[in-house]
Amino acid sequence: MNPTLSSMVMAAAVLSVPLLTASDSADASDRAFRLILATESGDRESPHGKAIHRVAALVEDASGGRIRVNEFYQGEIGGPQELFDQLLRGNVDMMLTWPHTSYDERLSVLHLPYLSTSWEEALSTYGRDGWLTQVADPIFSDMGLHYLGPFPEGFGGVATRGSYATTYEQARKIKVRSQPIFPLPQTIQALGFQAVPIDWSEVYTSIQTGVVDGDSSNVIYWDYVYFGELLDYFVHTRHNFSFYTFLINQQEWDEMDTEDRKIISSAVDTVVEEQFASARAEDEKWIAAAQADGMEYIQPSDEELANWVERVRDSVWDEAEDILGEQVMQEVRSRVTPVGTSDEAAMTAHRQGLATQEPRL
């Protein structure tokens, strides 16, 4: 970790030290303390920034000001991997983050491609009580983290400049950035693109200088708002359901009494429920905004998407079994809808909905 980041995190950590020790109040919730809450992506006006600010406000209000929350936004105290490292060490208490697999590759189950093809399936899969969450909970626990809840965004795509692809053959000429998290680069390769793992903080420069032709695996909001002046097309490949996770350091969680845990979890639950209720509309709002600003939004045909689904599942799921094990992948295969008419119906309904919606800018 660089010296500047280290000093900033440690300074913030000093502020998070309890004003009363745990022994001063073993059972009662009268302990005043501060928490460090960070998001790896988005400034304070982004959906992520607004989400952590709302959590902080709810916590401070419910605790009567006993629990203060220091909020940090994208890039203020480090990049995604640095922040995740500090979360594990306890220097950052809470975080809204992608599930990073660098410490435990079993978390790659959360990034498996084409686990769902409709919003209804996605919410039952990735929701706080969804089957995938039940698989991931013990993994987070083994890492020293307590999982508070998901923050859904929508189905990811591939945003490019100059050209785009809706088939494996077309994609082979296009080089795009991928998050450096298994199995996302492998998924992009299976779609046909040349995948280049690049950290989020370096994406703009990489597109600008021609290192890559675009970005992948994000909902359109990120590609439009952050790279819209560089990109021409957004192809809704829907290969991943993009979501972030609210996590808290397990030791910090264990040191809280029951009432304070309830305050924290209730605040996150409120924000998660609001996000699940609005995520689809929010995604469609940014699709309309990007189109209004000249970015071409492309939905592959049912046949093109079905071909991608089959190719990617066959390739990436088999590779993932070496890491996740046969039992986990049997659970995945038993839960996921096979490629077929139900997928096509869901995709067609989504496409029709976008065609008839009024832009909400």
Side-chain angles (χ1 to χ4, degrees), residues 80-343:
Q81 187 63 57
E82 293 171 304
L83 282 172
F84 197 76
D85 291 344
Q86 294 307 310
L87 177 68
L88 290 170
R89 294 171 185 170
N91 293 328
V92 170
D93 300 303
M94 293 176 61
M95 191 172 169
L96 179 57
T97 176
W98 264 63
H100 289 265
T101 61
S102 53
Y103 283 92
D104 195 325
E105 284 193 312
R106 292 178 298 165
L107 281 180
S108 59
V109 68
L110 298 173
H111 300 296
L112 285 175
Y114 289 120
L115 289 181
S116 57
T117 54
S118 71
W119 270 94
E120 291 71 26
E121 286 181 341
L123 298 185
S124 65
T125 299
Y126 295 93
R128 184 64 188 90
D129 298 319
W131 67 265
L132 190 59
T133 298
Q134 297 171 28
V135 173
D137 260 336
I139 303 175
F140 282 122
S141 181
D142 288 347
M143 295 172 66
L145 299 172
H146 180 75
Y147 179 49
L148 292 168
F151 190 82
E153 294 187 308
F155 289 98
V158 177
T160 55
R161 65 176 180 180
S163 62
Y164 67 90
T166 57
T167 66
Y168 176 87
E169 291 72 23
Q170 294 170 352
R172 297 180 69 180
K173 300 178 293 184
I174 302 173
K175 187 183 298 184
V176 296
R177 173 259 182 175
S178 171
Q179 291 91 334
I181 300 172
F182 178 85
L184 292 175
Q186 291 77 7
T187 298
I188 297 306
Q189 292 283 148
L191 287 169
F193 298 93
Q194 301 172 49
V196 183
I198 297 174
D199 189 77
W200 172 253
S201 62
E202 301 171 1
V203 178
Y204 186 94
T205 301
S206 298
I207 298 173
Q208 187 181 46
T209 58
V211 173
V212 291
D213 303 309
D215 182 41
S216 68
S217 304
N218 281 311
V219 293
I220 199 170
Y221 168 83
W222 297 104
D223 291 320
Y224 165 60
V225 172
Y226 285 80
F227 319 123
E229 64 190 67
L230 302 176
L231 300 173
D232 303 314
Y233 308 101
F234 184 89
V235 178
H236 219 163
T237 54
R238 299 158 64 87
H239 61 275
N240 68 307
F241 187 74
S242 181
F243 75 105
Y244 284 66
T245 53
F246 278 105
L247 300 170
I248 187 168
N249 179 272
Q250 186 69 56
Q251 183 175 346
E252 179 68 38
W253 182 255
D254 290 343
E255 290 175 355
M256 294 181 187
D257 61 32
T258 301
E259 184 174 338
D260 286 347
R261 289 181 189 176
K262 183 177 180 180
I263 288 172
I264 300 295
S265 60
S266 294
V268 172
D269 285 346
T270 296
V271 172
V272 166
E273 289 170 8
E274 291 171 350
Q275 181 64 12
F276 267 113
S278 63
R280 184 172 186 174
E282 183 75 7
D283 190 35
E284 292 174 353
K285 178 187 77 173
W286 289 108
I287 290 171
Q291 289 176 306
D293 269 359
M295 180 178 283
E296 188 172 347
Y297 172 78
I298 299 128
Q299 287 250 48
S301 68
D302 291 344
E303 182 180 0
E304 290 169 334
L305 199 50
N307 287 337
W308 258 338
V309 171
E310 185 172 14
R311 176 186 288 272
V312 171
R313 284 180 178 173
D314 286 346
S315 173
V316 179
W317 287 13
D318 286 349
E319 186 175 354
E321 190 164 319
D322 294 335
I323 294 172
L324 300 175
E326 183 179 354
Q327 183 176 352
V328 170
M329 289 309 300
Q330 283 180 344
E331 175 75 5
V332 168
R333 291 185 172 97
S334 71
R335 295 278 191 168
V336 173
T337 305
V339 179
T341 56
S342 59
D343 297 274

